[in-house]
Amino acid sequence: MLELTSLTKKFGSFTAVDDLSLRVEAGEVYGFLGPNGAGKTTTIKMIATLLKPTSGSVKINGIDAHLSPEEAKKFLSYVPDQPFLYEKLSGREFLLFVAKMYRMSENETAEGITEASEIFEVKPWLNKRIEDYSQGMRQRLVLAAAIMHRPKLIVIDEPMVGLDPRGAETFKSQVRLATKNGTAFFLTTHQLLLARDICTKVGIIRASKLVYEGSMSQITGDGVEQIEKRYIELTS
Amino acid sequence: MLRELIKTKLRQLYLEGGERVSRHLIRSIFSVVTFSVFAYLTYTVVRFATSYLITEAKIGLFLYHRLLALALFVFFVIVSVANILVAFATIFRNTETEYLHTLPIKPVEIFAAKFLDSFLYSSTLMLILILAAVAGYASFFGSGLIAALGIVLAILPLILSAACIGAIVLLLVLKFSKKVSVKTAVGIVALLYAGSAYSYISLNNPFRLFNDVMKYYPHIDRYLGVLDPKLDYFAPSFWSANFFYFATTGNVLGAAASVLIVGGTALILFLLMIRLAGKFYQEAFWTARHKLFERKVKDTGEMGESSARGNIKPVSLMKRDFLLFVREPSQTFHFVVLIVLIGIFLFNLFAMRIYLPDTFIISSAFTLIFAFNSFLIVSLAVRFVYPMLSLEGQSIWLVRSSPVKLKRVFYSKLLPSVVFSAVLGTLLGYAAPSPFRSFHGLISTSMVYGFVGGIIYPALVMIFGSAFVDYREKNPVRISSSHGATVSLLVSLGVVVILSSAVFNQTFEYFSSKGLLRPSMSAVWLTGTIALTSLLLSRFFGVKALQTDM
C-alpha cells in the first residue's frame, strides 16, 4: 500500500532523510519511531506530497505520489500533528467539505458523516463551530474526517495529541477494526506503549537513517521497561 | 471541486465578520464609519481636483485624462506588487494551502481558489478608494452611467490584470529560483518593476506633456494621441483612462475599443496565469516549502525553542523580536525595498529644484511632498508595526505565564518603532523643503511636524493592531493586509490630512511673507496632544490585547 524506495531529502548540505526504503502492506500498522529531529516529520511530509524528495520515490497503492499526486492522494488520509481546521465552519460543514474533496456521493457522505462522528463521539458537537471545540474534540473531528472516505492508507503524525483516555481507546479500536478491512496505517509516535498495542511493524529512524525495522515483539518481549530500554539503545 | 473550494472560502470569509457581531460590534461599527468617511473624503477630493483642473486651471480633457492614466498606472503597479506579497503568503505559505495539498485536488484548482482568496484579501481598500474616486469623477461630469460602466468594464479588469501579473511573476520567480537564488530572482523582478515604472513616468512627465498639449490651445479637449509615447499602449491603465476620456466626450466606438483592450488583456493574463499555474504551481509549491524547511534547518540550534524560554526582560524581548524579524524573509525583503525607495526619494528631493511663481501652487507642492513623506511612514507602520502584537500569538502562552509586566512587553514593541519612525520623520522633514527656493526658513517647521508625525503614526497603528489583534494568524503579510490594518491605514491617513492642512496654512503664510517660519504654537499643541493621546491609547489597548482570554 505504501512503498518508499531510497527516499532521500537534503536541505543544502544537511540530509534530513537518507536512503530510506520501507513497505507497508494492506492491513498493516507501521509505527515510525525515533527521537526529535531524526527525520520522521520530513518523511511524513514527503508521503503527504508536501515536500518533494531529493531522490527516491513514494508510491501509494502503486502510484508515484510525486508524479501523479492527485491520483495517489485519492487513497490517502493525512493527519498532521497540528491539523488545519476552518475555525468558522461547523464540524458538519467541515466533514461535508472533506467529502466533496474526495468526490463522495451524497449517500456515501451522509453515511460517512454519521458513522465517523458516532465512532469518534463528535456527533453532539457537529453543529457547533470548530472555534468552540477543545483540543481533544478537534483531534476527534480530524480523525473522523480521516476515516470518513475509507482511505486505503492513513498517515498520522502523533495520533494521540489531545485525546483523553477514552478517545485514545476509541482510536486504537478503530485502527484494529480498519486494518481488518485492509486499511494500512503509517504513524509516528513517541508513545511506545501505543506502538506496542497497535503496531504490527515498527521502523526506528535515527539521524536520518532507518536503524531498525521489525515487529514490536522482536524488539522487546512485552515488558514496558524492556521496550523503553531497547528504544533508547537503538536511538542513542 | 473548484466550486466547492471557493464556496467554502467565501463562507469562511463571510463568517469572519458575520454572526459574531455582538463580540465585534465596536470594531464593526468603527470599521464601517472609517471606511465611509474615507470613501467620502476620496470622493470629495477627486471631485474638487477634477473641478479645479478643468474649470480653474483649464488644462483640457485630454491632459486631464493623461494625468488620470498616470494615477491609474501608479495604482496598477501598487496592486500588482501588493498582490505578489499577499499571494506568496496566501498561495504558498499558508496552513490552509498546506492542508489542501494533502487532498486529492488538482494543484491548479488550489491555486485558483487561493488566488481568489488573496485577491479579495488584498484589494478591499483599493476597491473602496477607486469606487469613491470614480464616483467623484462621474459626479463632476454628471454621468452615473459612465461611473457604473467604468468600474465594471475599465477598473475591475485593470485590478484583475494587476493581480494576475503579480501572481505570474511570483510563479516565475519560484520556478527560476531553482536555477538562480531567490534573492537574484527577486532582485531581477524588482529591477524590472522599477525600470518599467521609471520609464513610464519619465516618458509621461506631466510638465512636458503640459507644454506639448498647450501648443494645441484652444483645442485641448481634442484627442491628441499623437503626443502619446508608444510604450503607453502596453499599459492597461492607459486604456482604462482612455475609456473614461472617450465615454466623457461621447465617442462610443473609442470607449468600446478601450474596454475591449482592457477586458481582453485581463482575460488573456488570467488564462495565461491559470495555464502557467497548471504547469508550474505544484513544482513552485514544493520549491517554496523546500526553502522554508531549509531555513528552519539552518536556524535550528541558534534560535529554535530558546526564543521561548529564559529570563524575559525588555531587552531580551526586543532582541527576540529583532531576530524573528530578520529571519523572516518576507519582512526583511519588504523592509529593505521600502527603505531603498525612501533613500531614492530622499536623494531626488535633495537633487530636485521646483520653481513655481504662484504662492498657492508652491504651498500645495510643498504640502504634497510633506503628505507623501507622512504616507511613507504610515506605510511602514501599517506593514511592520500593525502585526507586532498579533505575531506574539505564537508565544503568548509564555508571556502570559511569565513573571513579566505586560506593559513592558508592549513597550518593547512600541518604543523601537516610535524611535525609528520619529527619526525617519525628522529626516524626511529636513529634506522636504530642499527643492524650494528660500527653503531654509521652512526646515524647522517641517522637521517638527515630521518628528511629531513619526510618533503619532506607529502609536496610532498600534492601537488598531491591538484592537484587531488576531493571535491565530501567523503570517505578517496577511495580518498587515487584514481588515483592521486597512482601518488603521485609513485613520492614519486622516491624521496625515490634518497635519498636512496645518503645514499648508503655515507654508502659505511663509511663501506670502518670505519671513522665517516658526511652527505655530496652536498647531504644536494640537499635534502634541494627538501624539500623547495616541501613545496613551496604544498602551491601553496594547496591554488589553495582551490580557485577552486565549
Side-chain angles (χ1 to χ4, degrees):
Chain A
M1 189 53 54
L2 173 69
E3 188 180 355
L4 311 184
T5 311
S6 303
L7 198 63
T8 301
K9 182 67 188 174
K10 291 183 178 180
F11 297 105
S13 57
F14 176 79
T15 305
V17 176
D18 192 5
D19 197 27
L20 175 67
S21 296
L22 58 86
R23 286 174 69 92
V24 185
E25 304 297 343
E28 254 185 355
V29 182
Y30 193 106
F32 197 49
L33 314 178
N36 295 329
K40 297 190 297 296
T41 300
T42 306
T43 305
I44 271 200
K45 284 195 186 291
M46 285 192 280
I47 297 171
T49 73
L50 290 172
L51 282 173
K52 195 180 184 188
T54 309
S55 61
S57 68
V58 174
K59 282 187 179 164
I60 297 170
N61 202 25
I63 301 164
D64 191 307
H66 293 92
L67 291 179
S68 309
E70 197 198 334
E71 279 305 304
K73 282 184 284 192
K74 284 180 186 166
F75 304 100
L76 169 77
S77 255
Y78 166 57
V79 181
D81 54 348
Q82 291 173 320
F84 170 83
L85 287 163
Y86 294 96
E87 299 281 331
K88 300 287 174 188
L89 299 188
S90 68
R92 183 182 304 283
E93 287 165 337
F94 176 68
L95 293 179
L96 279 170
F97 171 72
V98 173
K100 292 273 183 198
M101 294 300 110
Y102 283 92
R103 297 180 173 85
M104 291 169 71
S105 69
E106 280 190 18
N107 283 342
E108 286 171 338
T109 304
E111 275 174 32
I113 291 179
T114 307
E115 192 186 8
S117 60
E118 275 173 2
I119 288 170
F120 285 102
E121 296 173 0
V122 282
K123 212 173 176 185
W125 289 78
L126 275 187
N127 292 326
K128 290 193 188 299
R129 286 219 194 150
I130 294 171
E131 64 188 354
D132 296 330
Y133 284 27
S134 68
Q135 171 77 17
M137 200 53 74
R138 283 161 186 259
Q139 187 70 357
R140 284 165 184 253
L141 181 69
V142 169
L143 291 171
I147 64 161
M148 188 179 65
H149 57 95
R150 298 197 170 89
K152 292 195 171 181
L153 171 68
I154 302 182
V155 175
I156 313 181
D157 203 354
E158 285 297 343
M160 296 305 188
V161 176
L163 287 183
D164 59 17
R166 190 182 164 89
E169 207 42 54
T170 308
F171 171 74
K172 287 183 201 170
S173 60
Q174 275 314 302
V175 169
R176 289 188 197 106
L177 194 66
T179 52
K180 282 181 189 159
N181 298 327
T183 307
F185 285 81
F186 183 85
L187 51 93
T188 71
T189 182
H190 289 297
Q191 296 187 27
L192 299 176
L193 286 179
L194 173 74
R196 184 198 64 180
D197 287 352
I198 60 169
C199 294
T200 50
K201 202 189 219 180
V202 291
I204 295 180
I205 186 171
R206 189 188 72 197
S208 76
K209 279 186 179 295
L210 193 68
V211 292
Y212 174 83
E213 192 177 48
S215 70
M216 225 29 206
S217 56
Q218 271 177 302
I219 302 183
T220 62
D222 281 324
V224 175
E225 284 172 15
Q226 279 294 331
I227 297 173
E228 285 174 352
K229 198 176 154 194
R230 187 77 179 110
Y231 174 81
I232 289 166
E233 275 171 19
L234 283 165
T235 55
S236 306
Chain B
M1 190 81 81
L2 181 61
R3 220 182 78 218
E4 273 312 312
L5 256 177
I6 292 173
K7 213 170 84 182
T8 304
K9 284 303 310 166
L10 290 177
R11 185 167 169 73
Q12 173 88 354
L13 205 70
Y14 166 72
L15 289 175
E16 210 59 64
E19 293 163 35
R20 299 297 165 98
V21 166
S22 59
R23 200 191 289 175
H24 304 298
L25 191 62
I26 297 172
R27 285 185 191 182
S28 306
I29 292 173
F30 194 82
S31 303
V32 170
V33 170
T34 313
F35 277 102
S36 310
V37 168
F38 205 80
Y40 182 72
L41 278 176
T42 309
Y43 165 85
T44 312
V45 167
V46 170
R47 199 180 189 292
F48 171 78
T50 307
S51 163
Y52 176 79
L53 292 170
I54 302 283
T55 53
E56 298 283 323
K58 294 190 170 46
I59 63 167
L61 285 178
F62 179 76
L63 184 58
Y64 172 83
H65 284 89
R66 282 300 165 266
L67 293 180
L68 179 66
L70 199 61
L72 285 177
F73 177 78
V74 173
F75 168 75
F76 181 77
V77 172
I78 290 173
V79 172
S80 182
V81 172
N83 211 74
I84 293 180
L85 293 165
V86 180
F88 182 63
T90 309
I91 303 176
F92 292 93
R93 290 188 51 190
N94 175 268
T95 45
E96 188 201 2
T97 311
E98 183 177 316
Y99 168 65
L100 293 175
H101 272 274
T102 67
L103 301 175
I105 313 172
K106 282 183 186 155
V108 70
E109 290 181 332
I110 301 176
F111 179 89
K114 296 303 290 180
F115 172 77
L116 180 72
D117 182 6
S118 152
F119 183 61
L120 292 175
Y121 203 84
S122 61
S123 307
T124 320
L125 172 65
M126 290 297 177
L127 274 173
I128 288 173
L129 276 180
I130 207 86
L131 288 177
V134 172
Y137 170 95
S139 89
F140 175 78
F141 289 107
S143 173
L145 182 66
I146 292 179
L149 289 177
I151 287 163
V152 177
L153 300 175
I155 298 296
L156 286 180
L158 181 72
I159 299 177
L160 182 63
S161 298
C164 288
I165 289 178
I168 289 171
V169 165
L170 188 58
L171 277 170
L172 294 178
V173 164
L174 284 164
K175 163 83 182 157
F176 292 111
S177 66
K178 284 180 99 176
K179 293 181 181 163
V180 295
S181 73
V182 175
K183 279 181 189 161
T184 313
V186 168
I188 293 169
V189 168
L191 276 177
L192 282 175
Y193 265 91
S196 45
Y198 180 78
S199 313
Y200 187 90
I201 291 168
S202 315
L203 282 172
N204 289 283
N205 182 324
F207 295 108
R208 183 190 57 75
L209 201 60
F210 179 80
N211 291 330
D212 289 349
V213 169
M214 285 307 153
K215 286 175 192 161
Y216 291 84
Y217 191 84
H219 307 292
I220 52 174
D221 285 344
R222 249 176 34 192
Y223 189 74
L224 303 168
V226 68
L227 300 176
D228 291 325
K230 297 288 173 282
L231 187 74
D232 284 8
Y233 300 159
F234 296 99
S237 48
F238 173 81
W239 298 104
S240 295
N242 260 6
F243 164 80
F244 285 105
Y245 173 83
F246 289 128
T248 305
T249 53
N251 181 344
V252 179
L253 209 61
S258 306
V259 161
L260 274 180
I261 294 172
V262 181
T265 308
L267 185 66
I268 289 169
L269 284 170
F270 182 76
L271 293 176
L272 177 68
M273 177 188 77
I274 293 296
R275 177 121 180 94
L276 288 176
K279 280 191 159 203
F280 301 147
Y281 176 53
Q282 181 69 72
E283 271 304 321
F285 174 76
W286 281 328
T287 306
R289 307 251 346 136
H290 178 89
K291 303 264 178 213
L292 178 70
F293 268 68
E294 196 169 44
R295 217 182 59 249
K296 277 186 183 169
V297 168
K298 274 186 198 162
D299 288 349
T300 305
E302 291 170 33
M303 191 69 187
E305 290 180 55
S306 62
S307 63
R309 297 199 193 112
N311 185 16
I312 303 182
K313 290 176 179 168
V315 176
S316 318
L317 285 163
M318 285 183 209
K319 187 180 163 194
R320 179 202 61 172
D321 285 346
F322 175 73
L323 288 174
L324 292 174
F325 181 83
V326 296
R327 288 176 186 175
E328 172 58 52
S330 65
Q331 296 273 73
T332 39
F333 171 69
H334 201 178
F335 184 73
V336 168
V337 167
L338 280 171
I339 291 297
V340 168
L341 286 177
I342 290 173
I344 294 170
F345 178 64
L346 274 173
F347 177 78
N348 281 329
L349 273 183
F350 285 121
M352 195 193 298
R353 289 291 168 266
I354 297 176
Y355 302 104
L356 292 166
D358 186 85
T359 308
F360 179 80
I361 294 180
I362 197 169
S363 307
S364 304
F366 176 76
T367 308
L368 269 179
I369 292 177
F370 177 84
F372 186 71
N373 287 350
S374 308
F375 176 72
L376 289 175
I377 300 174
V378 169
S379 307
L380 277 171
V382 173
R383 177 62 186 81
F384 299 105
V385 179
Y386 183 87
M388 277 180 159
L389 272 186
S390 295
L391 288 177
E392 194 61 53
Q394 294 166 62
S395 56
I396 190 79
W397 58 272
L398 172 73
V399 171
R400 291 283 293 278
S401 59
S402 302
V404 59
K405 286 184 179 164
L406 293 180
K407 69 177 183 192
R408 283 194 175 188
V409 177
F410 176 73
Y411 285 143
S412 75
K413 294 179 185 302
L414 181 70
L415 290 181
S417 321
V418 167
V419 169
F420 177 82
S421 130
V423 170
L424 183 65
T426 313
L427 185 65
L428 287 166
Y430 175 76
S434 64
F436 300 92
R437 263 184 306 169
S438 60
F439 63 86
H440 289 101
L442 274 175
I443 289 179
S444 60
T445 302
S446 177
M447 283 173 74
V448 167
Y449 284 119
F451 175 76
V452 177
I455 294 172
I456 293 174
Y457 304 129
L460 204 56
V461 165
M462 188 62 104
I463 294 174
F464 291 95
S466 309
F468 288 83
V469 72
D470 179 3
Y471 288 128
R472 283 170 307 189
E473 180 61 65
K474 292 176 183 170
N475 194 303
V477 177
R478 279 182 71 86
I479 298 170
S480 58
S481 318
S482 64
H483 190 66
T486 308
V487 175
S488 78
L489 175 68
L490 296 182
V491 173
S492 306
L493 290 181
V495 177
V496 170
V497 172
I498 294 173
L499 283 186
S500 302
S501 311
V503 165
F504 178 81
N505 279 335
Q506 292 192 40
T507 41
F508 188 75
E509 257 175 51
Y510 171 72
F511 284 117
S512 308
S513 65
K514 303 277 185 345
L516 177 68
L517 182 68
R518 293 186 194 288
S520 93
M521 282 319 287
S522 56
V524 168
W525 273 109
L526 174 69
T527 50
T529 309
I530 297 177
L532 191 65
T533 313
S534 307
L535 284 172
L536 289 173
L537 281 176
S538 71
R539 191 196 125 161
F540 173 77
F541 280 103
V543 173
K544 274 261 178 220
L546 288 169
Q547 287 169 338
T548 310
D549 284 342
M550 300 302 293

